[in-house]
Amino acid sequence: MAEDSIRSHTGVGGASTINDVARLAGVSIKTVSRVMNNEPNVRQETRDKVQAAADSLRYRPNLLARSLAGSRSFLLALFYDNPNANYINDMQRGVIRRTRESNYHLLIEPQDSQAPDLAQRITNLLGTIRLDGVILTPPLCDMPVVLDAIEAAGVPYVRVSSVTAPERSATVAMNESKAAYEMTQYLLTQGHTDIGFVLGHPDHGASHLRHEGFRRAMDEAGLTVPPERVGQGYFSYESGVEAGDAILSAPTRPTAIFASSDYMALGVMTSARKLGLRIPEDISICGFDDVPGAMRIWPALTTIRHPAEALAYAAADILLCRETGEGAADAQQILPFRLIERQSVRKL
Amino acid sequence: MAEDSIRSHTGVGGASTINDVARLAGVSIKTVSRVMNNEPNVRQETRDKVQAAADSLRYRPNLLARSLAGSRSFLLALFYDNPNANYINDMQRGVIRRTRESNYHLLIEPQDSQAPDLAQRITNLLGTIRLDGVILTPPLCDMPVVLDAIEAAGVPYVRVSSVTAPERSATVAMNESKAAYEMTQYLLTQGHTDIGFVLGHPDHGASHLRHEGFRRAMDEAGLTVPPERVGQGYFSYESGVEAGDAILSAPTRPTAIFASSDYMALGVMTSARKLGLRIPEDISICGFDDVPGAMRIWPALTTIRHPAEALAYAAADILLCRETGEGAADAQQILPFRLIERQSVRKL
DNA sequence: CTGAAAGCGCTTACAG
DNA sequence: CTGAAAGCGCTTACAG
């Protein structure tokens, strides 16, 4: 036995295995397995003995071996196709905060939603790596071919900010429509009645919900929105500049513009500056998302805080609770948002 | 045989295995393995037969099983502790672009560089998952305890933008000092001689290199830099505002400020705006990094393009080439940068 | 409360 | 050019 334990210490790559621990503790590998997995039905004395052996050998169960033998891979994957680094970063942070609580790990799998072989790529991936769960963000979460491929592989998944087919999987989201509604009400409260709006990317469901919230608030206030007050954007800064140019070059100008994403709002700001307009003196501008840059400009941007990290945490939580059988993972979770009032909107 | 192949089609989770393919093709699993891995010494006829069987069963080799049996995990990990979402995003994109070429996957492992048990965390991680390589970014790449832990686990690693101990591993970087030198020369060319400088985070080696490049250019031009022209920053926007406030509140003002990161440059812009200064009419400002936001403001920021994605690709390439034994992975790779001239610096 | 056996799906070494 | 055997390091089901 002394020889064995010495042998198991042999340098780099000679990591100790369950066999080494079993030998040193004088038990079977099954007992070691029970102790390492905190299973019941092990005498405390035995448990201590095994733990001591494991500690002295610096034993770490091999995740790959556990995965192959067992039914879990301890791996989650995040699928996304989104150029917004902040959004992706928030998502990753939220998921990892949760996976670390359960000793899970995160694989990132950016996917080109335009790729003709998208479904095949996903099928290949899921066939190659046994994942315990997949988290989908827009626009992937609303693509039937994506959902079909994941379901065919039998992998659990949760969708973030999905706007379609709620019955197909658990989802987490914020109330986009309500947030846009409240932001519009805020503008009205500040005395603005002639308000421009910049639409988001038509492929993202949130765009339509935000637009809808804006319209509803305007309708309820008895206000109409002329077509020249609405610009088409695609969530990007550049598209915000263009939409801003379009709206601001109309014969008359609105007193405020609600861009349905912060990057577009920054674009509208640039458009306004190019025209020599002061913000917020000549034109009020507000956004949606609360990206870090929103408060890193002057004037800081009034916006809606999208709870991206919390959404990601919640999505991972649903997957991991299902895995361990704990708790009832809500089918459709709605997380709160917050209106962040800064300096880019003035009171008329 | 017919029965077998039917059995292997049994729905979700019933993915076909190497045994199914071997049975259907009428060969041993070893031969299937040879075909799937493109090994030599298989008759073309046999190869075709196996491939046909694999295709008809939609066979995908199980990565976990390959890892456990073989010496590769097909997994790379990116370790980082950096609040800059754009930088992280670029790194991930670069690494993934390369891993996909070799059917590898990427695990992301953000680490708290301040954690007292950082080394233990890394040791645990590397003991649990057999990784084929780790990519380290600042400041982790310059922490001896981190390098020690990875080396003790016998895992290959590459460091990005490391400034210490080049002999310990392969590294990829850009010439930070030269870039700062060239930017300073550019400012001099534009007629600026009284130039302020905002230092980066002292824990990041690049900060000192950038500062050194600035000093060298000023020295060579015979210009001295009074202490009140230099502000301490930490790469963040907020620190840029503070450093800008400090520099701009001196009795006299420089005509230009070189902030050694874009976020700090944006902070200096805000500081200047708060003081009622126009950019670049009253003060020229330039940055370093070329974050997306640098061109999404007005005036767009003159800066240095840090080749983050290319660095990440190169780092992954070194790891994967070593893995497959191809090519001589250069020990120290230097990638080119570019000075991006935009509107935030004016000619005096 | 504990263990011996089988097996997860592959690759490695060896044999022919 | 091809294959039978052993084994990677665990877990699952079963036995006692």
Side-chain angles (χ1 to χ4, degrees), chain A residues 110-123:
Chain A
Q111 301 289 349
D112 178 5
S113 60
Q114 307 293 322
D117 61 341
L118 176 60
Q120 189 57 51
R121 282 168 181 275
I122 291 176
T123 300

Side-chain angles (χ1 to χ4, degrees), chain B residues 132-143:
Chain B
D132 286 347
V134 169
I135 295 168
L136 294 176
T137 62
L140 298 170
C141 63
D142 289 313
M143 297 177 66

Side-chain angles (χ1 to χ4, degrees), chain A residues 1-225:
Chain A
M1 200 157 81
E3 262 181 44
D4 287 341
S5 72
I6 286 166
R7 189 161 56 74
S8 71
H9 277 286
T10 44
V12 166
S16 52
T17 72
I18 197 171
N19 287 296
D20 300 322
V21 177
R23 219 175 290 132
L24 183 58
V27 298
S28 74
I29 61 167
K30 177 58 206 168
T31 298
V32 175
S33 174
R34 284 196 180 92
V35 174
M36 300 315 293
N37 291 303
N38 272 312
E39 286 172 26
N41 299 332
V42 181
R43 243 192 328 175
Q44 189 57 46
E45 192 189 339
T46 309
R47 200 178 286 277
D48 294 342
K49 196 169 54 180
V50 170
Q51 193 60 58
D55 289 347
S56 82
L57 292 173
R58 298 175 187 288
Y59 171 63
R60 300 263 85 209
N62 181 318
L63 200 97
L64 267 28
R66 295 180 76 185
S67 305
L68 188 58
S71 51
R72 302 197 291 171
S73 68
F74 302 93
L75 251 29
L76 251 41
L78 180 65
F79 285 15
Y80 56 87
D81 178 24
N82 193 312
N84 184 334
N86 290 303
Y87 179 76
I88 297 308
N89 201 51
D90 282 350
M91 283 289 139
Q92 294 177 349
R93 280 228 309 276
V95 174
I96 286 197
R97 192 155 54 78
R98 182 61 186 83
T99 53
R100 293 233 164 133
E101 293 173 8
S102 299
N103 288 311
Y104 267 65
H105 297 273
L106 178 65
L107 231 42
I108 56 172
E109 294 290 340
Q111 301 289 349
D112 178 5
S113 60
Q114 307 293 322
D117 61 341
L118 176 60
Q120 189 57 51
R121 282 168 181 275
I122 291 176
T123 300
N124 281 351
L125 173 64
L126 300 180
T128 300
I129 306 198
R130 182 193 306 175
L131 295 171
D132 286 347
V134 170
I135 295 168
L136 294 175
T137 62
L140 299 169
C141 63
D142 289 313
M143 297 177 66
V145 293
V146 172
L147 308 192
D148 290 346
I150 298 177
E151 287 173 13
V155 177
Y157 66 98
V158 174
R159 289 174 293 158
V160 177
S161 304
S162 170
V163 293
T164 60
E167 73 287 355
R168 291 189 75 165
S169 80
T171 63
V172 295
M174 64 167 277
N175 193 329
E176 310 270 357
S177 168
K178 181 151 172 269
Y181 177 84
E182 287 187 14
M183 178 60 91
T184 309
Q185 280 199 317
Y186 167 78
L187 293 174
L188 295 168
T189 303
Q190 300 300 303
H192 298 276
T193 53
D194 188 352
I195 306 174
F197 188 84
V198 182
L199 297 159
H201 197 296
D203 285 357
H204 290 237
S207 301
H208 307 289
L209 296 173
R210 293 175 188 182
H211 185 206
E212 189 271 319
F214 166 71
R215 290 279 178 181
R216 189 154 41 87
M218 294 296 275
D219 279 355
E220 288 182 11
L223 267 15
T224 58
V225 183

Side-chain angles (χ1 to χ4, degrees), chain A residues 261-273:
Chain A
S261 86
D262 281 358
Y263 286 127
M264 296 196 296
L266 298 181
V268 173
M269 279 188 170
T270 289
S271 171
R273 290 240 165 81

Side-chain angles (χ1 to χ4, degrees), chain A residues 262-339:
Chain A
D262 281 358
Y263 286 127
M264 296 196 296
L266 298 181
V268 173
M269 279 188 170
T270 289
S271 171
R273 290 240 165 81
K274 285 192 302 183
L275 294 169
L277 300 175
R278 293 164 306 162
I279 304 161
E281 292 80 0
D282 301 322
I283 180 115
S284 290
I285 296 172
C286 65
F288 197 118
D289 283 339
D290 197 26
V291 298
M295 58 177 203
R296 292 178 182 164
I297 46 163
W298 185 264
L301 189 66
T302 289
T303 189
I304 295 285
R305 177 164 298 163
H306 182 98
E309 212 220 275
L311 289 171
Y313 180 92
D317 189 57
I318 290 173
L319 253 12
L320 296 183
C321 283
R322 176 180 310 174
E323 198 66 30
T324 57
E326 304 164 13
D330 287 16
Q332 319 298 332
Q333 242 169 276
I334 302 292
L335 268 52
F337 59 84
R338 216 148 61 83
L339 196 161

